[in-house]
Each structure stands twice: as C-alpha cells, then as structure tokens.
Amino acid sequence: MIKILAACGAGVNSSHQIKDALEKEMGNRGYEVKADAVMVKDINEDMLKNYDIFTPIAKTDLGFEPSIPVVDAGPILYRMPAMAKPVYDAVEKIIKEKGLS
Amino acid sequence: MNMTSTTQDSLFSPEAVYISSATSQDELFSEIAAKLLARDFVKPAFLDNLMQREKDYPTGVDMSVVSADYPNIAIPHTEGEFVNVRKIVPIKLLTPIDFGNMIDPSQKFPVSFLFMILNNDPEGQANVLAQIMDFLTTTNHNQLLAFFKSKDTNAVYQFLNSNFNK
C-alpha cells in the first residue's frame, strides 16, 4: 500500500479533491494507493514519516524540510487531463524509482 | 429558505447570490460574511478565519488556462467548523479584486467572480470544488462568458441551477 498525504489550507476542499483524484488515477495505473487529506498547519515531521509521498496544492513552507518526496499537485484541481497528467506522471515516477508498493 | 429538493438546488440558495461593488478583499469579505451570518449560514468567527486563510493560502484560480477570455475566479473558504451549511455562494464583482493564485501563491491576478464554498461536510458527498471546476471547464463557452458578465442575481442563480453538475 502506497501512502500519500494531500494538504491544503483548510483541509476541506482542495486536499480532498487531490486525495480522490490520486487514489483513482493511481488505481487506474495499477497501484494500490491510500491518500489522506489534512490541513497544512497540522503537518509535522512525525506525521510525514507515515507517508511515502507528500502532495500539497502548491509549494508549501512547513517550517522544516520534508523527509519524503514532494509533488505539487495543484494542477489536478482543474480536472483537465492535460493539466493533471504531469502531476500523475511525477507521482508514478517516484513510485517506480523508490520501488513503492 | 428551505425551498429546494434536488442535489444541485441544495448547493445554491437564491437569496445567497450576490453582486458586490467592494474594491478590496477585506471590504468584500466583511460585506458577504455579514450577510451570511444574518442567514445563519456561518458562525461569527467565519469572517476572521476567511480573511486569515485567504492571506495564508490564497484561492485564486487562473482561468486563462481554461480559456483566454474567461475572467479569473476565486474559491474562498474556511475550515468546516466555521460554517453551518454545505453551499456555494456565487458573488459577481463589479470591480476586479486581486487574489493570490491557489497553485502558485507568489502570483497575483484580478478576480471577477467568486464561488465561496461553505462546506461543513467535506467527506459526505461529491467534492464541491470538483463540481465547480467541472462546471467551469465543461459549460458552453459563450454561455459561460455571458454568465460571468451577468449582473442579475436571479439569472446567475438560474444558470447555475440549470448547468451545474451536468
């Protein structure tokens, strides 16, 4: 199971859309992915250790350097395939490079 | 107020569609939050949280990537604890106001229309933001352009009800 942490300012709308989209598309690509959606302000170093990939909407200053790969996932929010594909490809590239499963 | 029954109806309220002549984010948010509070759609702390959140995590959406002639929009919202309902509040701005770009906060651009999201149940139903983006990217181009120019709250409400979630 590949674990992804999605985050946005309120943890309500954008991060949930990214969570749903990543679980669906990565599932379509043959990966078993579980994503969680949280508020940026709730993220700490210990929380990130429980995940394989961090997908905020935009470049995010967490106050510390993330210990896991980061993919800015904002373009997914447009729900336009041409904009979302590079994000999905970046996530899949990390999955392959790190041998995640 | 309780005059709706279908899914898309319930996301919009005819009495919560606004045209604003505000010229700053603070003025705009104060005006709209007061109206929403009067209808008990939001809690008293909504305004402060809306303003702070927009500063920390802007919600402007660059619509030029969808179509070069669409005006930019924004989707201001707070955490669920500050609202009492699950609705989208459409707000036409008579004067464009600068918002930060949601996916690149270092960038600002003028915004002419808001879809303010009141969401007290983020996990309960289909994603509200996803429904907004589907509306913006799949609605007929010329009809959407006319919608963005409308200054008639009833026409805005009717168009959204007719074209949302289709």
Side-chain angles (χ1 to χ4, degrees):
Chain A
M1 173 74 77
I2 300 158
K3 294 192 72 180
I4 295 178
L5 185 65
C8 67
V12 179
N13 296 291
S14 311
S15 55
H16 276 266
Q17 191 180 327
I18 288 170
K19 162 191 158 63
D20 293 345
L22 282 174
E23 285 181 341
K24 183 178 178 190
E25 177 62 20
M26 289 302 116
N28 289 342
R29 295 185 183 202
Y31 303 102
E32 194 177 354
V33 166
K34 169 79 168 67
D36 291 325
V38 298
M39 277 186 273
V40 169
K41 69 181 175 65
D42 288 342
I43 297 174
N44 56 45
E45 292 184 85
D46 281 344
M47 179 190 285
L48 273 190
K49 287 176 185 166
N50 297 318
Y51 294 91
D52 299 304
I53 303 171
F54 176 45
T55 57
I57 299 173
K59 289 204 184 333
T60 303
D61 180 8
L62 296 172
F64 60 89
E65 194 63 32
S67 56
I68 59 175
V70 180
V71 176
D72 295 339
I76 285 178
L77 299 176
Y78 280 90
R79 294 172 66 80
M80 297 166 68
M83 290 194 70
K85 185 174 183 297
V87 178
Y88 297 140
D89 289 349
V91 170
E92 184 173 22
K93 184 165 179 272
I94 291 168
I95 291 172
K96 285 180 174 171
E97 283 178 354
K98 291 196 159 287
L100 301 173
S101 61
Chain B
M1 191 182 302
N2 187 20
M3 56 190 293
T4 59
S5 58
T6 67
T7 298
Q8 72 246 39
D9 278 351
S10 67
L11 274 177
F12 300 98
S13 289
E15 71 276 15
V17 179
Y18 303 112
I19 311 285
S20 176
S21 56
T23 56
S24 71
Q25 273 189 21
D26 284 358
E27 182 188 354
L28 170 67
F29 287 165
S30 296
E31 172 195 343
I32 301 301
K35 292 176 176 174
L36 296 176
L37 184 62
R39 295 198 176 278
D40 201 30
F41 281 5
V42 301
K43 296 175 176 161
F46 175 77
L47 175 59
D48 285 346
N49 282 275
L50 184 70
M51 286 179 167
Q52 189 60 48
R53 194 196 169 284
E54 193 63 41
K55 285 182 176 71
D56 293 342
Y57 307 105
T59 66
V61 178
D62 175 9
M63 289 294 289
S64 69
V65 301
V66 180
S67 178
D69 50 3
Y70 285 165
N72 298 315
I73 64 130
I75 53 158
H77 55 273
T78 67
E79 294 137 58
E81 67 189 271
F82 304 111
V83 305
N84 297 323
V85 294
R86 190 170 191 274
K87 288 195 178 298
I88 299 170
V89 178
I91 307 159
K92 157 79 177 174
L93 305 184
L94 297 176
T95 304
I97 294 174
D98 276 357
F99 277 72
N101 187 343
M102 181 166 64
I103 68 173
D104 180 4
S106 65
Q107 185 185 53
K108 281 185 184 292
F109 43 62
V111 158
S112 300
F113 202 98
L114 306 187
F115 294 87
M116 186 177 282
I117 302 173
L118 310 181
N119 193 349
N120 65 349
D121 183 19
E123 315 231 21
Q125 300 172 52
N127 189 291
V128 176
L129 175 56
Q131 291 185 63
I132 293 172
M133 294 312 297
D134 285 346
F135 165 76
L136 293 170
T137 55
T138 62
T139 300
N140 174 275
H141 177 265
N142 288 336
Q143 289 181 359
L144 191 57
L145 270 182
F147 163 80
F148 279 132
K149 290 174 182 165
S150 176
K151 295 174 185 173
D152 177 343
T153 55
N154 188 52
V156 168
Y157 172 74
Q158 294 298 341
F159 186 80
L160 287 168
N161 259 350
S162 299
N163 290 274
F164 218 76
N165 206 16
K166 287 191 174 176

